[in-house]
């Protein structure tokens, strides 16, 4: 039962990652690519969290925090770039 659940989780994460990668490559705008990158980072955090639950450890917690911080700062940087590009002074 546990193995079937792990395989199902991996399949769902793989499909979501492929769809996010497609959106990251196709675009068409920088905002679409930024959202796709955020989705990918969120997926990585979810995969690490699922690994922690399945294997009953907390070693991945610092990596999850760093990845989450990178995602937040990246989103802020893209938003500032787009706002500056749309409203030049």
């Amino acid at each position: 039962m546990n193995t079937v659940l792990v395989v199902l989780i991996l399949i769902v994460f793989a499909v979501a990652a492929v769809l996010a990668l497609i959106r990251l490559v196709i675009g068409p705008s920088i905002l679409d690519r930024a959202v796709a990158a955020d989705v990918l980072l969120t997926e990585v955090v979810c995969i690490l969290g699922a690994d922690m639950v399945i294997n009953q450890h907390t070693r991945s917690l610092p990596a999850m925090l760093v990845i989450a911080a990178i995602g937040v700062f990246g989103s802020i940087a893209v938003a500032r770039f787009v706002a500056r590009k749309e409203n030049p002074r």
Side-chain angles (χ1 to χ4, degrees):
M1 176 67 179
N2 193 17
T3 306
V4 173
L5 185 61
V6 170
V7 170
L8 183 65
I9 289 169
L10 289 175
I11 290 171
V12 169
F13 281 139
V15 169
V18 167
L19 291 173
L21 279 173
I22 290 171
R23 177 52 58 193
L24 190 64
V25 171
I26 292 175
S29 71
I30 191 164
L31 293 177
D32 290 331
R33 290 184 171 101
V35 169
D38 283 343
V39 168
L40 272 176
L41 286 175
T42 303
E43 273 194 68
V44 170
V45 170
C46 289
I47 290 169
L48 288 174
D51 175 60
M52 286 176 26
V53 169
I54 291 168
N55 295 322
Q56 298 177 352
H57 67 83
T58 58
R59 292 184 302 265
S60 302
L61 193 58
M64 291 172 65
L65 292 173
V66 169
I67 292 169
I70 289 171
V72 168
F73 293 138
S75 296
I76 291 170
V78 169
R80 290 187 66 161
F81 173 75
V82 170
R84 191 172 291 160
K85 189 176 179 182
E86 289 178 355
N87 189 14
R89 291 183 183 193

